Each structure stands twice: as C-alpha cells, then as structure tokens.
Amino acid sequence: MDRIDIKSLTFDELSEQVRALGLPAYRAGQIYQWLHVKRASSFDEMSSLPQSLREQLAGQFELITLRQAEVLVSAIDGTRKYLFALPDGNVIESVLMRYRHGNSVCVSSQVGCRMGCRFCASTLDGLVRNLRPSEMLDQVYRIGLDIGERISNVVVMGSGEPLDNYDNLLRFIRLLSDECGLHISQRNITVSTCGLVPQMRKLAEEGLQITLALSLHAESDATRRKLMPVAVRYPLSEVLDACHTYYGRTGRRVTFEYSLVRGVNDGTAQAAALARLLKDQHGHVNLIPVNPIKERDYVQSERKSVEAFKNQLEKSGINVTIRREMGRDVNGACGQLRRSYLHPQGPEDGAKRRQRAEQGSAQRTRPAEKEG
Ligand code: SAH
C-alpha cells in the first residue's frame, strides 16, 4: 500500500490519522508544526517526538520534500530561479522575487501544461502530471528556509494551469494560509488562470480571499483564439462573466493580464476595444511585454507601443500597470519556465542545455556553493 502523503493532509485529517494510530491528540499539533512551521524535511528532524514514534510515522507516511537541484541568481535584479527535483525525477521551477513590500514566490502547479498558449514555454511538451499539494507547498517552504526570510506573497504563475489541478490547488491554498501553518494571508495569494470558466465559477464559491488573475491577452475572441487554444472552448463573454461573478462573490478585484505581442494585440484601436470590454469589470490591467521564446516567432512590443497602449487604457478610465520584468537573464520571467528531467549528471534536457549555453551574465549556484 502507498504511504500517505502527510504534508498534504489538513490538520483535521492529520488528527484523524493520529487518533487511528492510538496516539494522544496533542501529537497531531506537534507533527503539524514540524511539517508546516518548522518545515522539517524528515521525520528524524522531529526531535520533540520519541524515536519510536518517528520510526512509526516514517513507516506509515511519506514526507514529500523537494530537493534543490540548482539555483540561478539574476545579475540584474537578484531574482532567484530554483530548480527543484521531485521524488519521481521530474524537475520544476520556482522563482523568488524580492520587492520593497516583501518576498514573493512564483509557484508551479503542474509538470508541464496542456493549455497550449502559443507564447508560453511551459506548455511546449504538454502536460506530464499534476503537482500534489505537498509539492506546491514545499516550493514555498524550501525557498523560505534557503533565504532565511519570511515569504509574504505567493503567486501561482509558474508552469501549469492551476485550475486544471483544482482540488490540489485548493488544498495547497488552505494549508498555506492556515493560521497554524505558515499563515500567508489569502489576500497575498494570487492564482492566475488562462480562463477555465467552470472552475472559475467554482472558485468564486469557496469562501476564499485570494486574488484571481485572468490571462486575457486579447481585446476580441478572434485575437484571443490566435494566442490561446482555450479561447475556442470559452468565449470572452463567458470568461468575463465569470470574472464579474468572482468579484461579486468575493469582493476581490480581478487582475487582467495582457502580454503585449508586437503586431498581434498591441494596437491603440485594440486598447480602445479592450477598455470597452472591461468597462463594467472591477479590476485592473497588468501589461506584460511578451518575453520571446525561441520556439515561436512572437516579438515583444516596442516601448512606445506599450506606453501608447497604456495611455489609451488610462484615457478610457481603466486602471493599468506595466509589470516589472524580473529574472529575465535566468529565464525566470513570465512564460520562460519550462520542464526538464533529472538525469544522473543533473537536471538537463535539450532546452536546458541550450538555455545554459545562452546564460551569459547570470551566476549559477549549486546548493553546496550557495552564498551565505
Ligand atoms: N496557466 C496560468 C499561469 C501562467 S503564467 C495562466 O494561464 O494564467 C502567468 C502569466 O504569464 C500568464 O498571464 C501567461 O499568459 C503569461 N505568459 C506566458 N508566457 C508568456 C511570455 N512568453 N511572455 C509574457 N507573458 C507570458
């Protein structure tokens, strides 16, 4: 029988397990704290538990811990891209961004992705598998321990479509914001979706206070279909209606992400159409000049088109910001995260090898030689 993934259990579920083992109830609190506050990576570390109990737990439960395979540090802005090896050898990427308001971690939700957005590297090889709640949590836990500082914000914007892994995502959010765990405020957690309408509607009813970000990227269905296959399944009218409902049910303003692709979606007439589309929405637009990936020929909008697009939206009364690009030199920016697999000599695949060759300015640190 498979051992139970203990880090994915809620406190109530863990208490139930502890009771079934015939242990006193207070053990559940101790174990939960070792897992989610002290972020122990093995049962052996749980020094307040008797040795015999640690052994019993190890026989019964699996403690998922990610192995830090590599860290790439941006020479431009100090952004750190982590490559984590999962227990099955797959490698995922997570990014730490340091802002004045705190430390933000960008978490992956799947190995690969099956949404097929034309401009995104994470989807090039399709979906391999969903991440478990413990595997999402441990990205935040390991990075917090690595830098020895508090993580205040989490964005689920790494590889994968979070709403395509709905149940695990919800469990992850509840554990991450649990006041007996790391207690990251739900208001500081953002989930970005390409627009899976049924799941967006379901999310609106969960009683959460997280921010929903919608990858909009277009002012019309025709443009959106060129960029995102999911737009064929869900027309903009339905996607935007789901956003409206999300705001209505949660009171949380929606973020509309808009990656600007030269000559495709960055015209001022398109900005005007976008403003009309969003005029009844309670939210704001976040513009992201597209980060080119070598497998596609999309080109970033020129600076002056980005400014003109922004001005047009502002003139129409839409709140708009331009996303500060972080970690470009370590391929840690939006849409640049891709999957790889751990080989005996380290995480490597064709793409990674090419990526390695391209990295000029970035510093690479392996765990053993990490800076203090
Ligand atoms: N699956 C989720 C998370 C994706 S990543 C979603 O679709 O929202 C977070 C954001 O980066 C999304 O808005 C995504 O569309 C955008 N993105 C993907 N590739 C990009 C690229 N090459 N340049 C700029 N933004 C990109």
Side-chain angles (χ1 to χ4, degrees):
M1 200 187 77
D2 280 350
R3 288 175 304 158
I4 297 167
D5 170 9
I6 194 168
K7 204 181 274 180
S8 293
L9 299 179
T10 62
F11 181 69
D12 288 347
E13 289 166 343
L14 180 64
S15 302
E16 183 54 38
Q17 292 287 333
V18 162
R19 208 172 54 81
L21 290 174
L23 298 167
Y26 71 89
R27 291 289 185 208
Q30 283 182 313
I31 298 169
Y32 196 81
Q33 200 187 30
W34 274 112
L35 292 171
H36 300 288
V37 181
K38 297 180 188 158
R39 296 160 283 177
S41 57
S42 70
F43 290 107
D44 253 356
E45 274 177 48
M46 304 186 178
S47 53
S48 60
L49 307 181
Q51 177 66 27
S52 59
L53 176 55
R54 289 183 241 162
E55 280 165 18
Q56 187 182 6
L57 292 174
Q60 199 84 21
F61 300 103
E62 185 182 12
L63 206 177
I64 298 286
T65 304
L66 306 187
R67 195 173 62 70
Q68 189 175 308
E70 197 164 356
V71 189
L72 302 164
V73 184
S74 165
I76 304 170
D77 54 34
T79 293
R80 298 170 75 89
K81 180 167 88 168
Y82 289 80
L83 274 68
F84 287 117
L86 303 175
D88 65 0
N90 278 299
V91 174
I92 50 162
E93 304 186 350
S94 322
V95 182
L96 168 79
M97 292 156 291
R98 294 168 185 272
Y99 295 101
R100 267 191 302 274
H101 64 260
N103 292 317
S104 185
V105 171
C106 176
V107 171
S108 289
S109 58
Q110 295 178 317
V111 182
C113 181
R114 58 178 178 153
M115 295 299 133
C117 297
R118 307 292 299 161
F119 43 79
C120 182
S122 303
T123 198
L124 289 168
D125 295 330
L127 176 68
V128 178
R129 71 170 176 87
N130 285 328
L131 292 185
R132 303 186 197 182
S134 53
E135 291 168 330
M136 289 187 248
L137 279 173
D138 215 44
Q139 298 171 52
V140 182
Y141 292 1
R142 288 308 121 205
I143 292 177
L145 288 173
D146 184 52
I147 63 168
E149 293 171 26
R150 183 172 165 74
I151 305 296
S152 53
N153 293 66
V154 170
V155 297
V156 190
M157 295 189 182
S159 72
E161 166 49 45
L163 298 189
D164 190 34
N165 184 14
Y166 189 91
D167 293 344
N168 288 343
L169 175 80
L170 264 275
R171 206 172 253 274
F172 161 69
I173 292 168
R174 295 210 160 104
L175 287 165
L176 189 66
S177 57
D178 184 3
E179 55 186 18
C180 299
L182 219 50
H183 198 188
I184 294 184
S185 163
Q186 287 186 0
R187 290 169 175 264
N188 293 348
I189 301 175
T190 299
V191 169
S192 178
T193 180
C194 64
L196 301 180
V197 171
Q199 290 93 321
M200 289 166 73
R201 293 194 169 283
K202 197 165 168 212
L203 191 66
E205 306 301 326
E206 300 279 0
L208 298 174
Q209 277 294 296
I210 60 169
T211 300
L212 181 67
L214 172 76
S215 296
L216 183 56
H217 305 322
E219 85 303 342
S220 68
D221 280 315
T223 308
R224 200 160 189 262
R225 284 190 199 122
K226 281 189 210 156
L227 295 170
M228 306 170 73
V230 71
V232 177
R233 216 175 345 148
Y234 302 111
L236 274 177
S237 57
E238 285 179 29
V239 178
L240 292 174
D241 191 55
C243 291
H244 204 266
T245 304
Y246 190 83
Y247 173 75
R249 300 293 293 160
T250 63
R252 304 285 300 154
R253 290 175 180 276
V254 174
T255 299
F256 296 99
E257 297 162 285
Y258 197 105
S259 298
L260 288 158
V261 187
R262 191 186 299 186
V264 177
N265 64 359
D266 66 346
T268 44
Q270 287 170 309
L274 178 65
R276 286 194 295 279
L277 196 66
L278 297 181
K279 72 178 186 327
D280 297 326
Q281 293 280 342
H282 302 266
H284 83 279
V285 174
N286 194 212
L287 298 175
I288 320 167
V290 82
N291 296 305
I293 57 169
K294 57 182 156 302
E295 289 83 355
R296 304 271 185 262
D297 49 14
Y298 290 125
V299 182
Q300 200 169 73
S301 299
E302 287 171 284
R303 194 71 214 173
K304 65 177 194 310
S305 317
V306 176
E307 288 298 335
F309 200 92
K310 177 172 183 271
N311 292 340
Q312 178 67 49
L313 286 176
E314 277 174 344
K315 221 166 59 193
S316 317
I318 305 282
N319 287 321
V320 46
T321 46
I322 299 176
R323 185 174 294 181
R324 213 176 109 208
E325 191 181 59
M326 305 281 275
R328 174 108 182 251
D329 57 336
V330 289
N331 283 339
C334 297
Q336 293 186 309
L337 304 185
R338 49 181 81 223
R339 71 167 289 244
S340 55
Y341 190 82
L342 191 68
H343 292 290
Q345 66 274 33
E348 201 79 77
D349 67 1
K352 195 113 283 155
R353 266 191 298 279
R354 284 193 298 278
Q355 182 180 321
R356 218 174 262 274
E358 283 164 11
Q359 271 150 11
S361 54
Q363 251 175 285
R364 180 177 300 116
T365 58
R366 288 191 173 271
E369 57 194 58
K370 203 172 60 199
E371 328 106 4

